[in-house]
Structure formats: C-alpha cells, structure tokens
Amino acid sequence: MDNTEKLKKKLDELAKDASFIVVNPETLEKLKAKGFPVESKFITYKEYLNKLFDEKRKIAAEIIGNFPPISEKLANASVKSLYEEIRECYALGLFGATITLSVILLELSFKYKIYNERKRNDPSARWEEIEKLDFAASIKNLKTLGKITESEKKELDRFNIDIRNTYIHYNLQKLVNGVFVEKMPMVDTATGEVKNLENVDVAKHPYLWFSGKKFRDKKEVNGILQFCIGWMNKILG
C-alpha cells in the first residue's frame, strides 16, 4: 500500500464519525495534483429535496411540541404571520433563522404596542414615525408609557445588547465565544500524521465559526423563543 492509499484509508476512517470536515482549498488542490482520489458528486434537485425533507420531517416531529403558543387574545395579522413563519423555521430545524426572526417579532410587537397607545391618544399618529424607532428606543418608549417596569426595562436592555445586537448584526466571533470542541482530529496530509486537538476554542479559529454558530443556535433557540414570544403575548395579548 503506497502513501496515497494509506492516507485515503486514514481519512476514510476519520470521516465515518465526523459531523463535518474542513479542508484548506490549497491542500485539496495539492492532493488532486498528487493523484489523490477526490470526487465531486452530483445529485438531482429531486434527490436533494427528498433527502432534505426526510431529514427535516424527523427533526420536526421531535421538536415541534416545544414551540411556544401565541396568545388567543392577540389580534394582529402582521404579527401572527411572522409568528407562523418563525414556527416553520423552527420545525425545519433552521434555528439561526428562528432566533433572528424571533428578535424581529419582539421588536415588531413593541412597535405595534407603542403605535396603538399613540393612536389612542392621538388619532392622527403615523406608523411612519414608529418605524424610525430602533429596539432601544422602543424599550424606552414602553417604559415612558408605563407598559414595563424599570426592572423589565433593564432586562430588555440586556437582551438587546447580549442577544439581539449579536444576532441581527451577525457578529460571528462573538456568537461562538465560549464554544469549545472537545476533541478534533487534524490530519497533516503531507506526512499522514493525525493529531487529536482537545478543548479547541472555536472563537480563535474562523474556519470553525460556521459550526460553532450552529451549536450555539441549537443550544439557545428554545430560551430565546420563550423570551420573545412570552414578551409578545404579554405586550399584545
């Protein structure tokens, strides 16, 4: 068995238990130049969709019962439509999208509450002015209107800084801060040597950020959902 075959066997063994594989494009080209059997597989859109929907259906059946209900008292078509869109994302396991849209839902709920209060006091109040408010200003307005307490304002301000801003601005390194890979094999394709890295700090390795974010999304999604939909129901329900 030559070195290329040995390397292929080693990579195949490691790939069996891998949740993802990261390779430097330059390394890939060097392997191809040496005659390493790197293959690209093409599947039809029908095959892709069948596999995708089968996988997503399994996920949906396991998790959909965790999705927070909307208040029966809530009567706002725009908010309800966004709520349904978030539920679809959640059922499909698109947790990053679920979180981002949940934050938007919370902000939209706050703006509708402010708008409703202004319309009650001034029938000529315009929605265009409400849309100019950012999240922090919306929180401040709710406090001024007496709809939240000082402690609730502080809670929402923390959420704005720690969660909302990080996801809305897609601050990847901040999102994966504190995420570690317990064990990660690394292969030197030149020598065939395998090193097992332990407790890898994802924030220090940009090529791992995509995986670290997915890990955090899955870990955080239920708590963020409960927070956003809970506040939506409280403010508009």
Side-chain angles (χ1 to χ4, degrees):
M1 184 182 296
D2 61 23
N3 290 337
T4 298
E5 291 176 337
K6 289 180 181 178
L7 179 60
K8 183 179 184 304
K9 183 179 179 182
K10 193 169 293 186
L11 291 174
D12 286 342
E13 289 174 355
L14 291 171
K16 289 179 183 177
D17 300 320
S19 55
F20 63 90
I21 299 172
V22 179
V23 59
N24 187 310
E26 292 181 3
T27 300
L28 191 62
E29 291 304 316
K30 289 178 182 178
L31 289 173
K32 288 180 179 180
K34 291 180 180 179
F36 193 86
V38 178
E39 299 178 359
S40 297
K41 291 186 178 180
F42 173 82
I43 61 172
T44 65
Y45 277 124
K46 183 177 181 179
E47 292 173 311
Y48 166 75
L49 291 173
N50 286 339
K51 181 181 178 181
L52 177 67
F53 292 150
D54 285 343
E55 292 173 351
K56 297 301 183 182
R57 190 175 292 110
K58 291 177 183 177
I59 294 172
E62 294 172 0
I63 67 173
I64 194 61
N66 298 324
F67 197 82
I70 191 170
S71 171
E72 294 181 358
K73 298 178 182 179
L74 200 153
N76 185 298
S78 296
V79 171
K80 283 187 173 181
S81 176
L82 182 53
Y83 171 87
E84 291 298 334
E85 187 174 341
I86 294 167
R87 182 159 59 179
E88 290 173 9
C89 288
Y90 182 76
L92 292 172
L94 304 175
F95 299 135
T98 299
I99 291 172
T100 303
L101 288 177
S102 294
V103 171
I104 293 172
L105 174 71
L106 178 59
E107 187 165 349
L108 181 65
S109 300
F110 287 173
K111 287 182 176 180
Y112 268 115
K113 184 63 175 179
I114 296 166
Y115 179 66
N116 292 341
E117 292 299 317
R118 288 189 181 181
K119 287 288 285 187
R120 184 177 291 112
N121 298 321
D122 179 9
S124 65
R126 294 164 57 84
W127 175 256
E128 288 83 352
E129 295 303 314
I130 303 297
E131 284 203 332
K132 295 176 183 178
L133 299 175
D134 60 18
F135 194 75
S138 296
I139 296 170
K140 186 177 180 180
N141 268 262
L142 288 173
K143 175 64 173 62
T144 301
L145 290 167
K147 300 304 174 182
I148 59 175
T149 65
E150 181 62 30
S151 62
E152 288 174 332
K153 179 181 181 300
K154 290 179 179 179
E155 178 186 24
L156 290 166
D157 283 336
R158 285 195 299 271
F159 178 84
N160 182 33
I161 295 170
D162 297 337
I163 304 296
R164 187 262 181 195
N165 287 349
T166 310
Y167 269 95
I168 291 296
H169 299 297
Y170 213 79
N171 296 329
L172 269 177
Q173 190 172 38
K174 187 175 181 180
L175 281 169
V176 300
N177 188 41
V179 177
F180 289 82
V181 177
E182 185 176 337
K183 185 177 181 181
M184 185 178 73
M186 184 175 70
V187 182
D188 186 331
T189 56
T191 64
E193 180 185 4
V194 178
K195 293 181 180 179
N196 285 309
L197 306 181
E198 297 182 352
N199 296 319
V200 179
D201 187 348
V202 173
K204 294 181 180 179
H205 303 277
Y207 60 89
L208 294 176
W209 289 354
F210 79 97
S211 179
K213 182 180 180 298
K214 285 189 175 184
F215 175 85
R216 177 169 179 176
D217 291 345
K218 187 175 181 180
K219 181 181 178 182
E220 302 287 350
V221 64
N222 287 331
I224 294 174
L225 267 176
Q226 292 288 347
F227 184 90
C228 293
I229 293 177
W231 267 104
M232 174 198 72
N233 287 332
K234 181 177 181 178
I235 290 294
L236 294 179

